[in-house]
Amino acid sequence: MKRLIGSKKRAINYKINGLLPVIAGVLLLVSSLSYAKGHNVSDRDTSVSAYMQQYLGSGGNGLMLAYPNSVERFYEADNLRPVWIDRDHTQTWDAMMLLDCVTQYGLFHADYHPDELLYQQLQTMIQDPSKISNQKKARFDIYLTDAMITLMNNLHYGKLNPFYSADKIDSGLMIPFHAETELAAALQGKDFRVTILSVQPQSKQYAAMQDYMHLLKGQYQGDCYQVPESVVRKVAINMERLRWAEIGGSVYIQVNIPSFNLKFYQPDTTYEFKVVVGKTSAPTPVLKSQITYFTTTPEWKIPQKIFTNEILPKALRDARYLDNSHFSIYNRKGEYINPTKAKLLEIKRHPQLYYARQSAGCDNALGNIVFRFANIYDIYLHDTPEQQLFKRDERAFSHSCIRVERARDLAALLLRSVKDDNKIPVMDRALKLHLTRNISLKTPVPIKITYLTCEMKQGTLITYKDIYNLDNSLEMALYNASDTLTMQ
């Protein structure tokens, strides 16, 4: 009896188990039909916001965006709602006209979706919106946002910033400026256009150059004034460099390599000093840092016995020994001696009349003062005993460091600028007695080393020799060109 019952149970279980795949298939079919009925094209959400969510939620879904993550952050802050087609169209037209005028800022129409952002399409959206599908409206809204974010990043950071790549900017991490946030603020503000353009560098140098570009690509063209394309490109690539430089504030030092010039900007005046920069085989790098202190008499005076018995013999055998070892020779008056072979032979006969000093920097002689600022290149701004070099027009002679004329005057100006006047007598005493002293600044002073091959002076464009031949490569990258037109 038990065996029969067990057999019947096995038969029933077999039938049920055999039916399960069939039942599952039927349920899946019913479910699929139900889903299709409830989600066909006519019933699903086809609003502009829905299409926008579809585009933004799938990595752009075919949209070619320059800053996709920034665009997504922008819309997420406003619940993925359209911005340009569902608001006051005055700002939409302002945005379109700004994109029309990008050449007046040294930028290029091709970077801002010109094939997607068409005036005729926008006009139709406004006057007869039913003629444009919601999907196209969503695309237009997203593309215009990406174009404006791209424009603002290009105006603020530049297009080819070596410190902030497009990927780094788009990540939103560890960057000082977020275009998506500034764009949202501009849309809420009273003057949309002014707010957008305010993201540009605020230095007078940049403003003067940008005003000139407005003339070149705006008024001059309207007046049929012929401007060589090489001039336009020269201004554009230097505007790009000024965007990288992050020049701002009321007190800072700027060293411009091609002009062999240092400017110390203060609220009420600007002081200028001549400089010597790196030769082509050891170029001075572009950088941003802060001067925190300077050192008086920074070089080591070599003991006389070592100078006579070791350094002089090696210098006579190897013409590059002194230079490579950062040694400089002086007479008893403290005057620098040019170490020619004839002069070294004379010194060998009377070594007691001379002495040597060794610098700890990139040049063979730091002079009486060296200004310190953190940088990965280990270069300094410093005095030099070779003051005659400042009489030359072209001054690319150093080993990457920057030599400055009237170093003591610059040091005094630095101290006064940070209200450290009481340290000036300390500095002068150390210089007089040849004492090595580190003199700190109460407040660090920014230093910017730039490579600008042109600038505006009293409304006139002044150009400088491209001593490191950097213009051509930047022009080719900026203009996507295989040849260059920049003025030499």
Side-chain angles (χ1 to χ4, degrees), residues 309-326:
N309 298 333
E310 296 182 26
I311 294 175
L312 268 178
K314 289 179 181 179
L316 285 165
R317 288 195 302 268
D318 180 2
R320 296 186 56 81
Y321 171 73
L322 293 175
D323 197 44
N324 291 337
S325 302
H326 303 298

Side-chain angles (χ1 to χ4, degrees), residues 57-111:
S58 55
N61 195 21
L63 301 186
M64 302 298 292
L65 304 181
Y67 293 91
N69 296 317
S70 303
V71 169
E72 189 165 352
R73 289 194 297 270
F74 173 81
Y75 281 110
E76 284 178 346
D78 197 25
N79 297 315
L80 298 178
R81 293 184 300 182
V83 172
W84 305 102
I85 60 174
D86 283 358
R87 63 162 54 243
D88 178 7
H89 292 119
T90 301
Q91 292 178 326
T92 308
W93 288 114
D94 283 346
M96 293 287 283
M97 285 187 284
L98 276 171
L99 296 177
D100 259 359
C101 298
V102 294
T103 58
Q104 295 183 21
Y105 301 92
L107 302 172
F108 315 96
H109 288 122
D111 294 329

Side-chain angles (χ1 to χ4, degrees), residues 108 159-160 233 237 470-486:
F108 315 96
K159 184 179 175 182
L160 302 171
R233 292 191 178 191
I237 63 177
L470 299 180
D471 277 5
N472 287 354
S473 57
L474 179 56
E475 180 185 336
M476 290 172 67
L478 205 59
Y479 283 82
N480 297 315
S482 58
D483 59 344
T484 55
L485 302 172
T486 45

Side-chain angles (χ1 to χ4, degrees), residues 6 18 54 94 126 164 178 186 206 235 244 291 320 329 349 421 433 453 462 481:
Q54 178 185 341
D94 283 346
I126 295 171
Y164 297 102
H178 296 80
Y206 179 88
V235 176
W244 305 346
I291 297 176
R320 296 186 56 81
I329 298 177
R349 291 191 293 270
D421 307 57
L433 299 177
T453 53
I462 306 298

Side-chain angles (χ1 to χ4, degrees), residues 341-402:
K341 185 67 173 286
K343 192 64 180 178
L344 288 173
L345 288 171
E346 179 184 331
I347 293 172
K348 185 181 179 181
R349 291 191 293 270
H350 306 284
Q352 72 279 6
L353 301 179
Y354 302 89
Y355 66 93
R357 285 160 63 176
Q358 185 181 38
S359 77
C362 56
D363 277 340
N364 63 328
L366 300 181
N368 291 319
I369 297 179
V370 58
F371 302 90
R372 312 282 187 176
F373 49 92
N375 66 91
I376 62 173
Y377 308 100
D378 198 27
I379 67 167
Y380 311 114
L381 172 67
H382 64 85
D383 183 27
T384 177
E386 298 181 274
Q387 294 292 311
Q388 73 279 4
L389 294 178
F390 295 116
K391 296 178 181 178
R392 302 192 185 186
D393 292 332
E394 293 187 16
R395 298 185 290 276
F397 303 112
S398 81
H399 296 80
S400 301
C401 279
I402 304 159

Side-chain angles (χ1 to χ4, degrees), residues 82-100 114-133 136-145 148:
V83 172
W84 305 102
I85 60 174
D86 283 358
R87 63 162 54 243
D88 178 7
H89 292 119
T90 301
Q91 292 178 326
T92 308
W93 288 114
D94 283 346
M96 293 287 283
M97 285 187 284
L98 276 171
L99 296 177
D100 259 359
D115 296 332
E116 294 282 346
L117 301 174
L118 305 174
Y119 276 102
Q120 185 58 51
Q121 188 178 26
L122 176 59
Q123 189 75 25
T124 304
M125 283 184 207
I126 295 171
Q127 294 182 347
D128 197 352
S130 62
K131 288 187 177 181
I132 303 293
S133 71
K136 288 185 177 179
K137 292 175 184 175
R139 286 175 63 93
F140 185 95
D141 208 278
I142 293 171
Y143 269 124
L144 185 51
T145 295
M148 292 307 298

Side-chain angles (χ1 to χ4, degrees), residues 197-211:
L197 296 180
S198 69
V199 306
Q200 297 179 91
Q202 300 301 305
S203 70
K204 293 180 180 179
Q205 272 181 306
Y206 179 88
M209 211 174 289
Q210 204 245 309
D211 287 345

